[in-house]
């Protein structure tokens, strides 16, 4: 199979107008923080148990078309010995893999960051494909400050995302391109719009320079919201600002935009996605690739206890279903009580 056909098939399996992506690719440090929030120690066995619980949720495939996994999870098996990527694939959920290796300061751009992991990426992708991964994710992070992101921050991070995406496509792996503009701070929604727009403009310029095929990637951006220390904006306003900025900068050739939740609460992330789809002005599918906003209630319900696995699955399924309704623009707050 040519890589072009392979990529097209993966995009078609991920993008069907009503489902989204579950981000379950927390690095060892991040999952330890999440487990810590429920008073659970992060051991390999508990990570395996928790993630097999998520992936074996009956009916999840009705709302979720893909799942992003961490490298460790690709090699783990469920209690019956089934490899975890296969557990997803047999239910019609495409397994994907986070391939970046975390971030650090960007020298020459005080306050900005840069992500590592390009060296040896093609070889790593070949191995991940053998383990069942068909798409990948790479995250660049942009803090908002009075002087950040800097011009160098914008160009260097865009260049990394484009080089990663080009390597993925050459290897027959669909890239999810994730430029995360952080919510941290007390900035206004206008400032968030200004930064996100600058980020997306630069990212698509770089993708063009590197010959990345826009039809064969997914974009995973932040929504345009006020900073976490500022008062929340109503969903209608978030939707209008986000869509306006996306329409100015993201070509219509991109098949799907799958937002990250980035610290929005679970209900907030669903309401905002629903408002975006209710505007009905997008040339792309607008969907989700939530980590915390899908998992938080499930994680709490589980609490590290084997006997609470079914409750955790019910909590996950509820958020997945409500976000699926938000993709259709059919979510209502009253459904939270149902
Ligand atoms: P959140 O939805 O929790 O922001 O996670 C998405 C993700 O994959 C961040 O890299």
């Amino acid at each position: 199979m040519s890589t072009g056909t392979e990529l097209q098939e993966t995009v078609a399996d991920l993008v069907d107008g009503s489902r989204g992506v579950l981000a379950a690719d927390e690095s060892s440090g991040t999952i330890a923080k999440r487990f810590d929030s429920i008073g659970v120690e992060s051991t390999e066995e508990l990570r395996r148990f928790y993630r097999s619980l998520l992936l074996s949720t009956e009916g999840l495939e009705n709302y979720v078309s893909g799942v992003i996994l961490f490298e460790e999870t690709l090699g783990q098996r469920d209690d019956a010995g089934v490899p975890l990527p296969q557990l997803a694939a047999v239910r019609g959920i495409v397994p994907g893999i986070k391939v970046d290796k975390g971030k650090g300061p960007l020298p020459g751009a005080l306050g900005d960051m840069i992500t590592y992991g390009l060296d040896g990426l093609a070889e790593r992708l070949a191995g991940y494909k053998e383990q069942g991964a068909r798409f990948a994710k790479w995250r660049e992070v942009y803090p908002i400050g009075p002087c950040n992101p800097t011009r160098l921050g914008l160009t260097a991070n865009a260049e990394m995302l484009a080089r990663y995406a080009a390597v993925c496509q050459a290897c027959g792996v669909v890239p999810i391109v994730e430029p995360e503009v952080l919510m941290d701070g007390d900035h206004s929604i206008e400032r968030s719009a200004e930064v996100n727009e600058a980020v997306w403009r630069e990212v698509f310029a770089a993708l063009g320079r590197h010959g990345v095929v826009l039809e064969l990637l997914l974009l995973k951006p932040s929504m345009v919201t006020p900073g976490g220390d500022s008062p929340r904006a109503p969903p209608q306003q978030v939707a209008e600002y986000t869509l306006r900025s996306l329409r100015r900068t993201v070509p219509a050739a991109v098949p799907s935009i799958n937002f990250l939740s980035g610290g929005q609460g679970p209900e907030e992330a669903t309401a905002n996605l629903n408002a975006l789809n209710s505007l009905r002005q997008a040339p792309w599918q607008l969907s989700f690739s939530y980590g915390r906003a899908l998992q938080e209630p499930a994680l709490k319900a589980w609490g590290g206890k084997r006997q609470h696995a079914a409750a955790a699955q019910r909590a996950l399924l509820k958020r997945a279903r409500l976000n699926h309704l938000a993709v259709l623009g059919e979510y209502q707050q009253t459904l939270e009580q149902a």
Side-chain angles (χ1 to χ4, degrees), residues 24 123 132 161 257 280 288:
E123 293 73 21
L161 283 169
I257 296 178
R280 307 216 177 270
F288 57 91

Side-chain angles (χ1 to χ4, degrees), residues 137-150:
K137 184 198 95 169
W138 181 291
R139 171 176 177 252
E140 293 291 332
V141 178
Y142 306 78
I144 297 187
C147 306
N148 296 98
T150 63

Side-chain angles (χ1 to χ4, degrees), residues 23 25 137 139 178 180 220 260-262 289-292:
D25 60 323
K137 184 198 95 169
R139 171 176 177 252
E178 181 181 8
E180 176 169 8
K220 174 167 176 165
L260 59 93
S261 59
S289 174
Y290 295 158
R292 282 163 287 179

Side-chain angles (χ1 to χ4, degrees), residues 289-334:
S289 174
Y290 295 158
R292 282 163 287 179
L294 277 171
Q295 290 186 56
E296 238 169 54
L299 201 56
K300 275 196 199 130
W302 174 54
K305 302 205 168 56
R306 214 166 239 275
Q307 64 273 27
H308 292 168
Q313 291 183 328
R314 279 196 298 278
L316 173 67
L317 199 63
K318 174 178 174 183
R319 289 263 55 90
R321 185 174 60 83
L322 295 180
N323 282 300
H324 146 82
L325 291 175
V327 175
L328 301 174
E330 294 173 3
Y331 165 82
Q332 289 170 10
Q333 212 274 334
T334 49

Side-chain angles (χ1 to χ4, degrees), residues 138-303:
W138 181 291
R139 171 176 177 252
E140 293 291 332
V141 178
Y142 306 78
I144 297 187
C147 306
N148 296 98
T150 63
R151 180 103 295 275
L152 176 60
L154 290 173
T155 52
N157 280 280
E159 193 68 14
M160 293 298 277
L161 283 169
R163 287 185 61 195
Y164 140 81
V167 174
C168 284
Q169 289 190 342
C171 295
V173 172
V174 168
I176 294 191
V177 172
E178 181 181 8
E180 176 169 8
V181 176
L182 296 178
M183 264 174 78
D184 302 350
D186 62 359
H187 50 267
S188 64
I189 193 167
E190 287 81 12
R191 174 78 177 129
S192 169
E194 177 183 70
V195 171
N196 273 291
E197 255 178 72
V199 165
W200 299 335
R201 192 166 283 121
E202 206 65 41
V203 166
F204 282 93
L207 291 169
R209 280 200 302 279
H210 286 264
V212 175
V213 183
L214 299 185
E215 287 82 354
L216 300 175
L217 64 80
L218 270 58
L219 178 68
K220 174 167 176 165
S222 312
M223 288 184 198
V224 174
T225 68
D229 298 332
S230 298
R232 312 308 317 133
Q236 180 73 19
Q237 194 185 21
V238 170
E240 282 168 6
Y241 271 93
T242 303
L243 198 62
R244 187 183 69 176
S245 294
L246 286 170
R247 286 174 60 104
R248 286 176 175 174
T249 53
V250 179
V254 172
S256 183
I257 296 178
N258 291 58
F259 295 96
L260 59 93
S261 59
Q264 294 181 40
E267 290 190 25
E268 182 186 5
T270 308
N272 286 341
L273 181 61
N274 188 67
L276 271 156
N277 278 300
S278 302
L279 293 175
R280 307 216 177 270
Q281 288 167 16
W284 337 265
Q285 170 184 270
L286 296 178
S287 183
F288 57 91
S289 174
Y290 295 158
R292 282 163 287 179
L294 277 171
Q295 290 186 56
E296 238 169 54
L299 201 56
K300 275 196 199 130
W302 174 54

